[in-house]
Amino acid sequence: MQTITVVYESVLTFQLLPTDELNRSKSVLVQIYSTYSSRAMMEKIAFEAQIFFPNAVIVGLSTCGTIKDDTLFTHKTIITISSFEKTKIASSSIEIGEEERLDTFGAGKRLAKNVVKRDTKLLILFADTLRIDAEELLEGILSVNRHIPICGALAGDHGKFFETLLVHQERTLGSGAVIVSLNGSHLKVGIEAESRFAPVGPELRITSFDKNVVHMINGTVAQNFYRHYLGESFFRNLPESGMEIALVAKRDSRWIARTIVSLQPNGAIRYAGNLDETLAWKFGYIAEEKRFPFCFPTFHEENSFETLFLFADISCRITNEESFRKKISLLSEHGRVAGFFGYGEFCYLEGRNELLNQSMVLVGLSERGRKIGKECEEISLSTNGDVTLLNASLAHLNSVMSDEFILKEETLSLLAHELPYGLLLYDRNLQVEFFNEKASGFLGLERGKMRKRDLASLEEWLLDLFRFSLENRPSCARGEVTNPLTGEKITLEIHTRPILHRDRVRGAIATLYRKEE
């Protein structure tokens, strides 16, 4: 197996390749990573590829920039030609029109049935971003076989979000997907993915949605929610600004992200993938420390693949280009690298195929009989990137949340002050979060230490009562307490109730009533 990657300039690019040698291989895969958004130009390149590689499988897509070894290109199309000596290739594509979009799952199922074989080792999937539900497409493919690794990407168009294009043989598709299967027992596949997120802001509940279209967040129209928390400048630049700040959530110990694809006329927002309403979502952005480990697939005996494909989200370049350049420089020391930037990534990790955003996926291929592993090396950065809009949006978010916190705290204080009984809120560590004047008078809590006051010094029967509530058991008890400030003994009746969030006890609330003997 060998891979040759070249920058496309004209038909002369193909004429200078060792086409006779490559065409003698058992299988040839030609991939076109295009920075052109012109359908005519992509058809021209595909037509030329067919002339010089008549028996090859030819696929491609429009991108947001390309990668060749340790070099990034913004406006250069690259062609990567992989020849296999022992691996067979199958391919298929589907153009999804208005009617078919209602059954994107079925389209994915048909694609998989066309290419999946008994010895399939890897599926490479390229899909349109703007018109189809990529996650439904992926689920359709997985319904045929969930265990075959799938890697690939969503096409891009340099942040215009106007039209993305796909290529399969002589066809250019404006809406749909292209899939390639690599088949054979001799093929070795190594896969790694990298996502580094910093979650920020309030916890977000997806309160009204339809798959990848979100209508309301925390009970507010989705677009208004973004405008409120991230500011008018961020909102005016959507969906482009959404490449810097996404929605993130943790699923099975791994962070996933969802970036915005388009704004709907009714105030809804369409994302690159579906959003699970059971997850705890937050705003999030790519964040890297000055020093961090970078891992990539290797051989245990010899860390060199014949081919290393890199599918990266455009946000990886936008938020910190220095970091990305150092990563590909390191990768190019271990093999030839070919890749591009798109709007999302397909990846197989820990036995599960996922649609990712704001991530980079590395796929190593080899027909050598060696065991696949991974290697990690430390990367050091001199800067944290120049992301002015991101910083401004995060500052706005911090300001809004600070104002909301103060408002909520003052409102709670005003309401609690009017209550005829004591009110006490505490967390799982028996640290006081809030109390009113009545509770202070009963228990001797000092106003100057209102935040995070330890309850451990109180009477034992009180501590037992408070602990019961943290075990998700509402409780009630009556007993005598001594005010440590005045020495007065009083009888209290206390009711406690746990505070649950997403089925977990986060703390409890106690109401205190003075009883006359």
Side-chain angles (χ1 to χ4, degrees), residues 1 84-87 186-188 306 365-369:
M1 175 187 176
F84 298 86
E85 299 302 325
K86 303 171 184 177
T87 302
H186 292 91
L187 184 68
K188 304 295 181 183
E306 289 101 318
L365 299 181
S366 175
E367 289 184 314
R368 299 171 185 155

Side-chain angles (χ1 to χ4, degrees), residues 269-426:
I269 296 176
R270 185 171 179 269
Y271 292 85
N274 295 351
L275 283 90
D276 185 344
E277 79 278 15
T278 66
L279 298 179
W281 294 91
K282 294 178 81 72
F283 292 120
Y285 61 97
I286 296 176
E288 293 176 332
E289 300 174 357
K290 289 294 185 70
R291 300 172 70 90
F292 61 90
F294 174 57
C295 300
F296 49 92
T298 64
F299 289 124
H300 282 307
E301 299 89 344
E302 177 187 333
N303 50 349
S304 178
F305 284 96
E306 289 101 318
T307 298
L308 191 60
F309 293 120
L310 174 56
F311 307 127
D313 201 286
I314 182 58
S315 59
C316 296
R317 186 176 187 178
I318 291 173
T319 54
N320 198 325
E321 186 165 322
E322 180 203 2
S323 168
F324 196 85
R325 287 186 181 276
K326 288 198 172 186
K327 291 171 186 175
I328 63 169
S329 177
L330 178 60
L331 289 172
S332 64
E333 295 174 5
H334 296 273
R336 306 304 297 270
V337 180
F340 60 88
F341 298 99
Y343 290 149
E345 305 75 49
F346 298 105
C347 187
Y348 181 82
L349 287 173
E350 300 172 358
R352 177 173 181 160
N353 284 293
E354 296 266 17
L355 171 64
L356 306 177
N357 287 125
Q358 294 202 336
S359 304
M360 59 181 293
V361 175
L362 297 160
V363 184
L365 299 181
S366 175
E367 289 184 314
R368 299 171 185 155
R370 291 181 173 87
K371 187 177 180 182
I372 301 295
K374 76 174 180 179
E375 182 173 332
C376 297
E377 295 193 20
E378 189 172 84
I379 289 180
S380 299
L381 302 178
S382 60
T383 68
N384 286 325
D386 181 16
V387 281
T388 306
L389 180 59
L390 171 63
N391 291 336
S393 301
L394 293 178
H396 181 88
L397 173 62
N398 182 64
S399 175
V400 171
M401 289 196 64
S402 177
D403 290 345
E404 288 183 349
F405 178 80
I406 293 171
L407 178 62
K408 288 178 181 178
E409 192 171 62
E410 290 182 349
T411 301
L412 180 60
S413 296
L414 288 171
L415 292 173
H417 180 73
E418 301 298 325
L419 294 176
Y421 51 83
L423 182 70
L424 178 70
L425 276 70
Y426 52 95

Side-chain angles (χ1 to χ4, degrees), residues 61-74:
L61 74 172
S62 59
T63 72
C64 300
T66 53
I67 304 157
K68 180 181 181 294
D69 296 325
D70 61 352
T71 305
L72 306 182
F73 298 106
T74 302

Side-chain angles (χ1 to χ4, degrees), residues 64 129-131 155-164 237-243 259-262 272 314 343:
C64 300
T129 311
L130 307 178
R131 299 175 181 84
D157 65 348
H158 287 288
K160 299 172 186 174
F161 292 92
F162 178 70
E163 182 180 43
T164 58
N237 284 282
L238 285 173
E240 292 90 339
S241 56
M243 293 185 286
T259 53
I260 293 174
V261 171
S262 63
I314 182 58
Y343 290 149

